[in-house]
Amino acid sequence: MAYQIIECVPNFSEGQDTHIIRQITAEIEATEGVRLLNVDPGKATNRTVVTFVGSPAAVVEAAFRAIKKAGELIDMSHHKGEHPRMGATDVCPLIPIAGISMEETAVWAQKLARRVGEELGIPVYLYEEAQPDKRRSNLSVIRAGEYEGFFKKIQLPEWAPDCGPAVFSARSGATVIGARDFLVAYNVNLNTTSTRRANSVAFDVREAGRVLREGDPITGKPVTDADGKPVHTPGRLKAVKAIGWYIEEYGIAQISMNLTNIRVTPVHIAFDEVCRSAAERGLRVTGSELVGLIPLEAMLEAGRYFLQKQQRSTGVSERELIRIAILSMGLDELAPFKPEERIIEYLLANASDHTLVSKSLTGFADETASESPAPGGGSIAAYVGALGAALAAMVANPRDLLGPGPMGPVSTARRATVMDLVKDITARLYPVGRLDYGSEGLLLLTNDGALAQKLTKAGSHVPKKYLVKISGRPDEKSLARLRAGVHITLDDDRRVKTSPAKIQLHEDAPNPWYEVTLIEGRNRQIRRMFQSVGFLVEKIKRVQLGPLVLDVPPGKFRSLTIREVAQLKHLAPAPAPTHKKLSS
């Protein structure tokens, strides 16, 4: 019997709190026999799409653990987001990959649904191939009314859950579990902020089309059939679901599509059809965004398609076909598109368990050059210049890079420091702040000198989070003083009072660890603060700077996404206005 592999793509209703997301994905990673392939959070949608694969039993076990953890951590009564949703784990599909039929996969989905309903007490609805009643197998039909409407919907006899109690939990909501074919979630970006215009394009292309109306196609009275049901005008594309929405995070409207059968409508055809419809309405497509993973052949087919449109030979390398597909569809407009992280076959073939962002400098340079908008690939410097503040050096132990030397403040811009990691980059890089010789953690380098200066200023109010190990145990009175602000002596002998700080216990021990968050960044400030109340600092590790969380191993670095750059620029204080004196 062939080895069976299935894929699971749960969607969790949390896209903003990385701590919660990591706790959920940790449950998956801890399950033997599965491999976590991709974690794709969306802040505007407040939703994270997770992808993992493995043997059927292992995948079901990992999914159960993740659904359980999500139900514990996510409170749906406070959830807001652009994407339709009905529970902490909104939907959890199983997809046959190898050695297993759709019918067998549906049985595994039903087993998972029963266990979630019985052991966790969460109402579960089956969908697609796992749902024997085809009147309620469509996800959008099941989810209609969303979280807010399900308190009443679940009480209707025709909407009793397939598994679990017929009681809607305000905290965890309900979930949908099923078996389906491989689906590509794909968004196309428009040069408009209008949700109405975006929806018009979505209705043009999606299979369901739009409701036929009398007179005005938008405000006119819906036309109904003999049974009183609305009559639809079909859209242009088969096996495509689509809606339009505005993403505040990017300041643009998108066409959000689910391509349910890419053999019927490939991703490049969906892209071109949206371009055509947008142009007919005076709009332009500026790029696109893949959510989750895509099969290799879909990217190769797209590359060949766009080369044929240019009347060019398709006899090029696999890597070049992928590059053409990325450029043609603007897949890297909102964030770098990394084939090794987005193409499912590449992930399955990668035998390494290292974090995908942990790349050598050479590997990073090769990848960046291939994604540069400059002709012929360009250079890393051109890429950094194109992104603005788009390079982060997150080093877990600068002392290993510095080598032996005297204790004391050491700028990250000195020779034989973190700068050695980026020596191949010709653009001038500015360090945002510093870590002294006895500290470790996240460092940020940027080619935007003005941004570096704004973020470094003591009054920037950009939050910086540290884990701090103390020699001895401060009492509550001492901690209260630190939280309120204490007087410290700076290098130039000036006495200043620190701004209020957030301090909470991180790990209890005879020499405990504290989580300390500052909104200013004076030299050796944390050490001086604790010295002022009679305690010495043993270790300091910076784990967060504004929206950036330390997520690379010691001695490695990665580029920032466009989203992260925009967040940093938003945090940086604007310069004070200057007023010229008018002559009388």
Side-chain angles (χ1 to χ4, degrees):
M1 179 179 173
Y3 186 68
Q4 294 183 321
I5 300 176
I6 62 174
E7 180 188 59
C8 185
V9 190
N11 290 216
F12 300 105
S13 296
E14 176 56 67
Q16 301 170 1
D17 192 325
T18 56
H19 182 61
I20 289 177
I21 296 168
R22 285 172 181 162
Q23 289 184 75
I24 294 171
T25 56
E27 295 293 322
I28 296 169
E29 290 182 290
T31 306
E32 187 174 355
V34 302
R35 182 163 180 217
L36 181 64
L37 297 181
N38 187 259
V39 180
D40 194 354
K43 291 194 174 180
T45 56
N46 200 7
R47 183 182 186 87
T48 295
V49 180
V50 176
T51 306
F52 59 97
V53 296
S55 65
V59 164
V60 166
E61 176 63 24
F64 176 83
R65 294 182 186 182
I67 293 169
K68 180 180 180 182
K69 182 60 69 174
E72 294 169 355
L73 300 178
I74 299 172
D75 187 350
M76 288 301 296
S77 64
H78 301 298
H79 184 272
K80 299 292 180 184
E82 294 294 332
H83 199 288
R85 77 284 182 268
M86 58 187 279
T89 302
D90 184 55
V91 61
C92 183
L94 303 184
I95 301 102
I97 298 296
I100 187 170
S101 67
M102 177 61 75
E103 292 75 18
E104 291 171 301
T105 305
V107 172
W108 282 105
Q110 292 163 356
K111 288 180 180 179
L112 174 61
R114 284 194 295 271
R115 189 176 174 196
V116 169
E118 293 168 5
E119 296 184 31
L120 303 183
I122 296 175
V124 180
Y125 292 83
L126 297 170
Y127 86 117
E128 294 288 354
E129 299 302 318
Q131 174 58 266
D133 184 356
K134 297 309 173 187
R135 294 173 301 177
R136 47 189 275 172
S137 65
N138 186 289
L139 177 59
S140 61
V141 173
I142 297 171
R143 198 163 49 195
E146 298 188 42
Y147 168 84
E148 290 78 6
F150 244 90
F151 290 92
K152 291 183 178 179
K153 184 174 181 177
I154 201 171
Q155 298 174 20
L156 300 174
E158 63 270 27
W159 283 110
D162 295 290
C163 304
V167 178
F168 195 71
S169 167
R171 182 177 178 84
S172 60
T175 192
V176 184
I177 295 174
R180 61 164 172 79
D181 281 321
F182 195 97
L183 174 151
V184 172
Y186 180 59
N187 302 332
V188 179
N189 312 324
L190 300 177
N191 67 335
T192 182
T193 59
S194 171
T195 301
R196 181 177 63 81
R197 288 181 170 85
N199 264 320
S200 294
V201 175
F203 296 162
D204 286 346
V205 301
R206 70 182 187 182
E207 182 173 12
R210 53 168 43 84
V211 174
L212 184 63
R213 297 178 182 273
E214 297 176 0
D216 191 286
I218 297 175
T219 61
K221 181 181 177 181
V223 176
T224 58
D225 60 17
D227 297 324
K229 296 181 179 180
V231 175
H232 282 75
T233 302
R236 298 170 180 171
L237 299 176
K238 297 290 185 181
V240 173
K241 300 175 182 178
I243 60 171
W245 60 25
Y246 171 71
I247 301 296
E248 186 174 0
E249 185 179 358
Y250 304 138
I252 59 171
Q254 288 184 321
I255 310 302
S256 177
M257 294 186 284
N258 280 345
L259 309 181
T260 60
N261 189 335
I262 56 175
R263 294 185 297 274
V264 174
T265 299
V267 63
H268 54 273
I269 296 299
F271 175 83
D272 261 7
E273 201 59 50
V274 170
C275 289
R276 182 160 76 95
S277 176
E280 291 171 354
R281 297 177 178 278
L283 304 172
R284 288 186 66 86
V285 168
T286 61
S288 62
E289 175 189 35
L290 180 71
V291 181
L293 304 180
I294 189 169
L296 173 61
E297 184 55 36
M299 291 295 289
L300 298 180
E301 188 180 354
R304 289 189 287 265
Y305 171 81
F306 289 111
L307 284 175
Q308 288 169 351
K309 288 189 71 173
Q310 299 171 37
Q311 297 184 344
R312 292 173 57 192
S313 170
T314 59
V316 297
S317 68
E318 181 176 290
R319 180 176 179 180
E320 181 64 7
L321 286 174
I322 293 170
R323 190 181 76 86
I324 291 295
I326 294 169
L327 291 176
S328 300
M329 296 185 288
L331 283 167
D332 55 359
E333 184 190 24
L334 302 179
F337 184 94
K338 301 179 181 181
E340 70 273 20
E341 296 182 17
R342 292 297 194 175
I343 296 175
I344 189 168
E345 287 88 343
Y346 287 359
L347 284 166
L348 290 172
N350 181 6
S352 171
D353 275 334
H354 293 302
T355 305
L356 291 172
V357 295
S358 308
K359 303 183 185 301
S360 66
L361 181 59
T362 302
F364 175 81
D366 288 344
E367 177 183 52
T368 305
S370 69
E371 293 180 356
S372 170
S379 64
I380 298 178
Y383 174 72
V384 176
L387 291 187
L391 182 72
M394 300 182 181
V395 184
N397 196 339
R399 289 172 292 180
D400 292 341
L401 298 171
L402 290 168
M407 295 294 287
V410 181
S411 169
T412 57
R414 281 186 52 182
R415 292 175 62 85
T417 67
V418 66
M419 300 302 288
D420 284 355
L421 278 176
V422 292
K423 62 185 178 182
D424 290 349
I425 296 178
T426 58
R428 182 176 180 181
L429 299 177
Y430 303 88
V432 177
R434 61 177 69 195
L435 287 172
D436 63 39
Y437 179 71
S439 302
E440 59 185 86
L442 183 154
L443 288 171
L444 175 66
L445 303 178
T446 173
N447 67 318
D448 189 331
L451 178 64
Q453 185 178 24
K454 291 175 183 178
L455 293 172
T456 305
K457 288 177 61 177
S460 68
H461 297 294
V462 176
K464 292 167 277 288
K465 186 180 293 184
Y466 302 81
L467 297 181
V468 182
K469 186 177 183 180
I470 307 301
S471 179
R473 183 184 294 275
D475 56 24
E476 280 303 315
K477 184 177 180 181
S478 297
L479 293 174
R481 287 179 57 195
L482 292 170
R483 292 182 181 114
V486 293
H487 284 89
I488 60 174
T489 302
L490 303 181
D491 291 334
D492 58 5
D493 294 327
R494 285 185 299 123
R495 291 280 289 173
V496 298
K497 185 176 182 180
T498 61
S499 297
K502 294 181 180 179
I503 301 177
Q504 62 184 38
L505 184 65
H506 177 73
E507 182 179 323
D508 198 7
N511 295 324
W513 285 85
Y514 286 89
E515 186 180 281
V516 179
T517 303
L518 305 179
I519 57 170
E520 56 187 349
R522 304 181 188 279
N523 191 29
R524 297 176 65 80
Q525 177 171 331
I526 291 177
R527 298 181 188 278
R528 288 168 170 158
M529 286 170 59
F530 279 93
Q531 279 181 329
S532 74
V533 294
F535 291 88
L536 295 177
V537 171
E538 292 186 1
K539 294 181 180 179
I540 297 178
K541 181 176 182 179
R542 182 158 61 202
V543 294
Q544 187 169 352
L545 192 159
L548 306 179
V549 177
L550 182 64
D551 60 1
V552 293
K556 301 295 182 181
F557 71 98
R558 69 169 175 85
S559 64
L560 300 188
T561 65
I562 292 176
R563 180 188 306 175
E564 289 171 330
V565 174
Q567 289 172 332
L568 283 175
K569 290 185 175 181
H570 178 73
L571 283 174
T578 56
H579 302 283
K580 294 183 179 179
K581 185 176 180 180
L582 300 177
S583 56
S584 56

